[in-house]
C-alpha cells in the first residue's frame, strides 16, 4: 500500500470542502439576486447575472456530486485494502487516520495508552516502507 493511495481520501476531502465553500459563495450571489433593488451590488450596477449564477451553481453541484461519489468509492476500496493488513495496531492506525480522516493526534488519543501522534506516524511510515520494499522485491524477482 502506497502513501499516495492512502492520502487520496484526504485530497478528496479537501476538494469537497473547497467546492462546498464555492457553493456557499454562489448561494450568496443567488440571495443578492433575489433581493434585487435593496442591495449595494444593485445600486452599483454590478449585480450578478441570474442565468450565469444558476449555470455556475449547476456545474458546481455536478462536480461536487462526482467528487462525493469518488470519495465514497475510494473510502470503500481503502477500507478493503486496510482490512488485509495483518497487524491489528497498524490496521487501526491506518483506519483512524486514512479512512476516518482523524488527525494523528486524535487517532493517538483514541488508541490510548502511551501512544503519541509521532509514534503513530513512525509506525505507519515503517509499515509503508516495508510494503514498498516487498512490492519492489516482488516485481524484481518476476
Amino acid at each position: 500500500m502506497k502513501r499516495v493511495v492512502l492520502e487520496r481520501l484526504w485530497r478528496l476531502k479537501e476538494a469537497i470542502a473547497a467546492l462546498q465553500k464555492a457553493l456557499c459563495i454562489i448561494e450568496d450571489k443567488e440571495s443578492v439576486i433575489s433581493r434585487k433593488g435593496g442591495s449595494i451590488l444593485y445600486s452599483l450596477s454590478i449585480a450578478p447575472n441570474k442565468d450565469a449564477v444558476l449555470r455556475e451553481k449547476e456545474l458546481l453541484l455536478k462536480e461536487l456530486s462526482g467528487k462525493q461519489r469518488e470519495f465514497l468509492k475510494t473510502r470503500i476500496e481503502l477500507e478493503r485494502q486496510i482490512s488485509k493488513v495483518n497487524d491489528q495496531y497498524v490496521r487501526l492506525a491506518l483506519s483512524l487516520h486514512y479512512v476516518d480522516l482523524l488527525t494523528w493526534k486524535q487517532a493517538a488519543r483514541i488508541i490510548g495508552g502511551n501512544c503519541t501522534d509521532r509514534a503513530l506516524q513512525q509506525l505507519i511510515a515503517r509499515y509503508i516502507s516495508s510494503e514498498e520494499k516487498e512490492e519492489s522485491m516482488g516485481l524484481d524477482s518476476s
Side-chain angles (χ1 to χ4, degrees):
M1 197 174 323
K2 295 186 178 185
R3 186 174 302 278
V4 173
V5 173
L6 290 168
E7 291 176 349
R8 182 175 170 87
L9 212 54
W10 278 97
R11 288 190 307 277
L12 285 168
K13 177 186 175 188
E14 291 167 355
I16 288 169
L19 289 170
Q20 288 171 330
K21 186 175 181 178
L23 187 60
C24 286
I25 292 168
I26 289 173
E27 288 171 345
D28 287 345
K29 288 179 186 178
E30 274 186 316
S31 71
V32 166
I33 290 169
S34 67
R35 283 190 297 234
K36 296 229 175 179
S39 165
I40 292 174
L41 289 177
Y42 269 89
S43 64
L44 296 174
S45 72
I46 53 171
N49 178 319
K50 184 177 181 177
D51 293 333
V53 169
L54 291 176
R55 276 192 305 274
E56 186 179 359
K57 183 177 181 180
E58 183 181 332
L59 290 172
L60 199 57
L61 285 170
K62 192 174 185 177
E63 186 178 355
L64 180 60
S65 176
K67 288 288 184 195
Q68 288 171 330
R69 277 193 301 277
E70 185 181 353
F71 180 89
L72 292 174
K73 287 178 184 177
T74 302
R75 183 179 174 140
I76 290 166
E77 177 59 25
L78 196 53
E79 287 174 334
R80 190 184 64 72
Q81 288 180 12
I82 290 173
S83 72
K84 296 176 182 178
V85 173
N86 291 330
D87 184 320
Q88 73 179 32
Y89 191 67
V90 171
R91 194 171 52 243
L92 177 59
L94 287 169
S95 290
L96 290 172
H97 183 68
Y98 292 108
V99 175
D100 296 335
L101 301 174
L102 298 178
T103 64
W104 288 114
K105 194 172 198 167
Q106 291 169 326
R109 275 195 214 122
I110 288 173
I111 291 172
N114 292 328
C115 184
T116 64
D117 55 333
R118 194 80 176 115
L120 277 184
Q121 287 175 308
Q122 290 171 348
L123 172 73
I124 298 307
R126 283 192 304 269
Y127 171 76
I128 291 170
S129 178
S130 70
E131 285 291 303
E132 288 173 348
K133 282 180 188 173
E134 284 179 25
E135 199 173 285
S136 68
M137 288 173 55
L139 293 175
D140 292 342
S141 63
S142 43

